[in-house]
Amino acid sequence: MGQYNGQNLIGADTFSKPVSGSDEPQQGGWFRTFTIAAYKPYFDIDTTDVLERIKDSLFPFRGTFTEKTAGNPDLYGPFWICTTLIFVAAAIGTFVTYVAHKLQNKKWEYDINLVTWSAGVFYGYVTIIPLGLYVILKYFSAPSGLAQLFCLYGYSLFVFIPALCLSIVPLEIFRWVIAGVAGFMSATFVALNLRTHIKSAGERWFLIVASIFLLQLALAVVLKLYLFTVTV
């Protein structure tokens, strides 16, 4: 995997990527962060590119995602992946719980908290973790672009969509296996794509990468306990 520097991992440290071909006046500094033009480039992406990035996220050992997206990180894919996860989690969770109750002839009630909880977990995770990592890398003088981190973490969650669908199978051991495999793939995808870049942080690079890996695995455990587990 090629060597990175602060620019080729993201292209820009904040939401300041210029809109190519735009006639709109460009505002500088932090004021631009609060304009629609600042975010428009991150949603200007072809369906083919999104599908290619999703495919890359399913082959975590390649570790080339950051190289491919360095010049054009997007937020479109991560947004729809998280949104899809929220509705899939709510739908699958509701269906599995409903079937389990009916099989035991017990009263079933729809739990709206499943939607709000899923939204908080997925949107919160893909926002807070990249922000925290961004600050940590800044501290260790290994700065990376915030948009690239959002992009990487967003696509890393795609594997949980098919995993949630497979959780319909009413076997607890199978659900644990599915959650574990999905968590391992997601964690490996993020860790390997950041490893080479984080090595510039000095001797602590391994601890940072290991923490990233374990945190992603922890997400899989949380999802297993609250979304893959059915209680009647």
Side-chain angles (χ1 to χ4, degrees):
M1 188 161 53
Q3 295 294 321
Y4 301 112
N5 54 39
Q7 288 297 318
N8 66 16
L9 183 66
I10 172 59
D13 247 1
T14 57
F15 295 107
S16 57
K17 182 179 174 183
V19 183
S20 56
S22 174
D23 295 328
E24 300 176 9
Q26 300 296 315
Q27 299 180 9
W30 285 100
F31 290 104
R32 179 171 168 74
T33 305
F34 302 99
T35 65
I36 295 178
Y39 301 92
K40 187 187 299 183
Y42 299 105
F43 290 86
D44 184 18
I45 185 171
D46 295 332
T47 302
T48 303
D49 294 328
V50 173
L51 293 177
E52 183 66 26
R53 294 176 182 191
I54 288 175
K55 186 175 70 173
D56 285 340
S57 72
L58 297 176
F59 294 91
F61 293 101
R62 291 177 178 175
T64 58
F65 184 86
T66 50
E67 293 180 1
K68 293 180 179 180
T69 61
N72 186 32
D74 76 283
L75 301 182
Y76 179 86
F79 171 76
W80 282 112
I81 287 172
C82 288
T83 303
T84 302
L85 269 169
I86 292 168
F87 286 101
V88 168
I92 295 297
T94 299
F95 175 75
V96 172
T97 304
Y98 173 79
V99 171
H101 278 73
K102 289 302 179 181
L103 288 176
Q104 297 189 27
N105 295 318
K106 293 186 176 181
K107 183 180 179 181
W108 174 82
E109 293 182 358
Y110 177 70
D111 186 7
I112 188 62
N113 292 325
L114 191 60
V115 177
T116 55
W117 187 89
S118 299
V121 168
F122 293 121
Y123 283 143
Y125 187 86
V126 84
T127 300
I128 295 174
I129 300 303
L131 279 172
L133 182 59
Y134 176 76
V135 173
I136 292 173
L137 294 181
K138 278 283 191 180
Y139 176 79
F140 286 108
S141 299
S144 62
L146 188 55
Q148 180 66 24
L149 291 175
F150 284 142
C151 180
L152 177 66
Y153 270 86
Y155 281 100
S156 75
L157 297 183
F158 178 81
V159 68
F160 290 108
I161 295 178
L164 281 169
C165 294
L166 289 173
S167 69
I168 293 179
V169 178
L171 293 175
E172 187 66 9
I173 184 64
F174 180 79
R175 288 171 177 159
W176 270 112
V177 170
I178 290 299
V181 171
F184 178 80
M185 290 178 63
S186 181
T188 302
F189 174 70
V190 173
L192 289 185
N193 275 286
L194 289 175
R195 180 186 60 181
T196 302
H197 175 70
I198 294 178
K199 281 185 177 180
S200 62
E203 297 178 354
R204 295 184 178 90
W205 75 268
F206 181 79
L207 292 177
I208 298 175
V209 173
S211 298
I212 290 171
F213 184 87
L214 293 176
L215 189 60
Q216 203 81 352
L217 282 182
L219 173 65
V221 173
V222 170
L223 293 180
K224 167 61 185 75
L225 295 176
Y226 288 94
L227 294 178
F228 288 76
T229 301
V230 179
T231 56
V232 180

